[in-house]
Amino acid sequence: MEDELAIAILDGAWRPQRLLTLRQDWHGLLYHLLRDEGGWVALIQRRGIHASPMPCWHDVALTRTIARSLRPLEMMLADHVIHAGETRFSFRAAGLL
């Protein structure tokens, strides 16, 4: 199974309001990010059942790039969570955000 990546738009209490897959066009994705004005987003990454949830260097680089890119939009990255089977890794819980 190939990794799947999505962006969850969160409300002020960090509850998911909308889940946007990164397979859709960037114009539609940007439209929803700006329209919802949530201020917070989370990256949700799903890996195969037997994969490790531990981040690779490119996961860390992606997280940092997205966090920086959100700032001009006055949005912040709440977390990047990697799910693999029944286990998960949270960048925020690991102190990486």
Side-chain angles (χ1 to χ4, degrees):
M1 172 184 174
E2 182 179 318
D3 280 12
E4 293 179 5
L5 192 61
I7 293 179
I9 297 175
L10 311 175
D11 66 11
W14 289 13
R15 292 179 301 238
Q17 300 299 302
R18 182 183 308 272
L19 187 64
L20 307 170
T21 65
L22 294 183
R23 291 184 183 158
Q24 69 186 63
D25 71 291
W26 284 102
H27 291 100
L29 183 69
L30 187 59
Y31 168 78
H32 286 294
L33 285 173
L34 295 174
R35 186 191 78 178
D36 288 345
E37 297 180 10
W40 291 96
V41 299
L43 289 176
I44 310 297
Q45 188 174 353
R46 297 200 184 278
R47 293 187 176 160
I49 234 170
H50 300 294
S52 169
M54 295 303 294
C56 305
W57 67 268
H58 53 83
D59 295 321
V60 174
L62 173 69
T63 303
R64 290 179 179 163
T65 299
I66 289 179
R68 275 193 310 269
S69 299
L70 288 170
R71 286 186 198 126
L73 301 175
E74 296 182 4
M75 300 187 86
M76 304 226 3
L77 186 61
D79 205 348
H80 176 175
V81 179
I82 302 174
H83 295 272
E86 295 296 318
T87 59
R88 69 183 186 113
F89 179 89
S90 163
F91 278 69
R92 179 152 307 275
L96 297 173
L97 283 177

